[in-house]
């Protein structure tokens, strides 16, 4: 009641001063902060005041509260400049909290509503990170990796001059290599169990689709190993030829060369198989 009386006594300026004081007090008290999340509790606050409250919560690492308050600006003042700023900050707060689904949702709304704004590039980058930061090991399902690649590519292609394009490019290469690593892991699994055809299919994917990754030399050597096991010498020799042409200084070529020599074979393209075709394209500088 005393607070209400003070507002009436001091007029409009008093309203702002009292609200500012309230923000300070509420930031210091957890129970009062929670009370501000009750329905209608922020209806009398300006967009700027809510934004400042959200920033205070961010500074105190109260990320869930911060994200909530940033979102309230969009709800209460949807057409204000503060709503636009609050939306990108909400995406950031959720991401810091590890709430990737909500971060992605907020970032996507920003990209949809403000595609030409300066922060649109960062919103797209956050959207990509919401997938990328969940790629933790090769053994997991790779659906997240594919989605990360798609969103990182958008950063690179749509916002090439942004400060985030270079980082997105680096992360794209790492995610791309991650997929190749998954194919190699499965291929090695089949190879160890003597399922050579299934192994070849995996190693072929690496050679044809992930040839820019560091896994390519091993994939070619494993193809030599698998084809020799099946008695398909032409394919084994062709794989060895590609390996020798592009990666002669690697231990993988030394291993493939020894395997071929052990069978009385040389590393050179033979026949009309898919590997001999790739070899001819390599010679002409047309690597797939």
């Amino acid at each position: 009641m005393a607070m209400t009386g003070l507002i009436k006594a001091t007029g409009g300026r008093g309203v702002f001063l009292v609200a500012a004081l309230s923000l300070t007090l509420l930031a210091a008290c957890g129970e009062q902060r929670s009370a501000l999340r009750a329905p209608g509790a922020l209806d009398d606050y300006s967009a700027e005041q809510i934004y400042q409250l959200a920033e205070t919560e961010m500074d105190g690492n109260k990320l869930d509260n911060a994200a909530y308050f940033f979102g309230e600006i969009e709800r209460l003042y949807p057409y204000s400049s503060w709503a636009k700023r609050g939306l990108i900050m909400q995406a950031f707060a959720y991401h810091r909290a590890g709430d990737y689904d909500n971060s992605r949702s907020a970032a996507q709304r920003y990209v949809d509503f403000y595609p030409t704004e300066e922060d649109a590039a960062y919103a797209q980058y956050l959207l990509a990170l919401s997938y990328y930061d969940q790629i933790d090991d090769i053994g997991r399902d790779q659906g997240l990796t594919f989605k990360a690649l798609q969103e990182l590519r958008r950063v690179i292609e749509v916002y090439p001059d942004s400060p985030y394009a270079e980082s997105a490019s680096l992360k794209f290469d790492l995610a791309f290599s991650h997929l190749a690593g998954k194919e190699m892991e499965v291929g090695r699994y089949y190879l160890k169990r003597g399922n050579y055809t299934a192994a070849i299919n995996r190693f072929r994917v690496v050679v044809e689709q992930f040839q820019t990754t560091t896994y390519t030399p091993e994939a070619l050597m494993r193809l030599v190993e698998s084809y020799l096991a099946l008695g398909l010498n032409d394919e084994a020799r062709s794989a060895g030829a590609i390996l020798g042409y592009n990666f002669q200084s690697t231990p993988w070529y030394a291993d493939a060369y020894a395997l071929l020599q052990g069978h009385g074979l040389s590393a050179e393209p033979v026949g009309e198989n898919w590997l001999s075709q790739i070899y001819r394209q390599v010679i002409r500088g047309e690597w797939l």
Side-chain angles (χ1 to χ4, degrees):
M1 295 298 293
M3 184 73 74
T4 302
L6 179 60
I7 292 174
K8 289 181 178 179
T10 55
R13 185 168 179 271
V15 171
F16 178 80
L17 292 174
V18 171
L21 176 61
S22 297
L23 288 177
T24 302
L25 294 174
L26 288 168
C29 177
E31 291 183 2
Q32 289 174 304
R33 283 200 304 267
S34 297
L36 279 180
R37 297 189 60 164
L42 294 174
D43 289 355
D44 293 331
Y45 286 83
S46 71
E48 183 177 3
Q49 289 167 346
I50 301 172
Y51 189 92
Q52 290 171 347
L53 175 60
E55 282 193 321
T56 299
E57 298 298 270
M58 283 286 290
D59 292 341
N61 206 36
K62 304 293 185 181
L63 301 175
D64 184 60
N65 276 348
Y68 173 81
F69 293 134
F70 282 129
E72 284 296 277
I73 302 173
E74 184 184 15
R75 183 181 70 83
L76 294 170
Y77 303 95
Y79 304 109
S80 69
S81 61
W82 291 103
K84 180 169 58 179
R85 294 170 63 179
L87 184 55
I88 190 68
M89 288 301 297
Q90 184 185 44
F92 175 65
Y94 276 132
H95 189 269
R96 275 189 56 184
D99 188 344
Y100 298 115
D101 288 343
N102 279 321
S103 175
R104 181 162 56 251
S105 177
Q108 185 65 66
R109 288 203 310 279
Y110 192 98
V111 172
D112 291 342
F113 295 160
Y114 313 108
T116 61
E117 294 293 329
E118 183 179 359
D119 285 330
Y122 183 58
Q124 179 61 52
Y125 185 63
L126 277 176
L127 204 164
L129 289 183
S130 72
Y131 292 115
Y132 180 85
D133 287 350
Q134 296 184 77
I135 305 172
D136 54 1
D137 61 74
I138 288 176
R140 284 192 59 177
D141 174 74
Q142 299 305 295
L144 289 172
T145 309
F146 280 109
K147 290 178 181 177
L149 286 168
Q150 291 173 346
E151 300 303 335
L152 288 167
R153 183 182 292 277
R154 286 195 179 94
V155 177
I156 299 165
E157 294 179 349
V158 179
Y159 307 101
D161 300 321
S162 74
Y164 313 105
E166 182 177 357
S167 177
S169 182
L170 292 173
K171 286 180 169 57
F172 184 94
D173 290 342
L174 290 172
F176 197 65
S177 182
H178 191 88
L179 287 178
K182 177 63 176 181
E183 295 296 328
M184 290 300 300
E185 179 191 50
V186 177
R188 294 188 204 104
Y189 174 86
Y190 287 133
L191 183 61
K192 288 180 181 179
R193 284 152 182 79
N195 191 343
Y196 300 114
T197 300
I200 287 169
N201 289 337
R202 296 292 182 162
F203 300 137
R204 179 171 181 169
V205 168
V206 175
V207 172
E208 291 187 325
Q209 299 181 26
F210 300 102
Q211 64 272 13
T212 59
T213 70
T214 57
Y215 290 101
T216 303
E218 182 189 354
L220 287 164
M221 193 283 291
R222 301 297 182 191
L223 284 169
V224 172
E225 185 177 358
S226 300
Y227 279 128
L228 285 176
L230 291 174
L232 299 174
N233 293 344
D234 287 357
E235 287 82 355
R237 294 173 68 186
S238 298
I242 298 172
L243 190 52
Y245 184 79
N246 289 278
F247 310 103
Q248 191 168 10
S249 62
T250 67
W252 300 114
Y253 174 70
D255 291 344
Y257 181 83
L259 281 173
L260 289 168
Q261 286 289 299
H263 286 74
L265 302 171
S266 59
E268 57 182 306
V270 182
E272 292 298 326
N273 55 78
W274 69 276
L275 284 160
S276 65
Q277 292 174 2
I278 284 181
Y279 181 86
R280 288 192 291 271
Q281 290 170 333
V282 170
I283 294 298
R284 295 197 302 266
E286 300 173 3
W287 180 254
L288 291 178

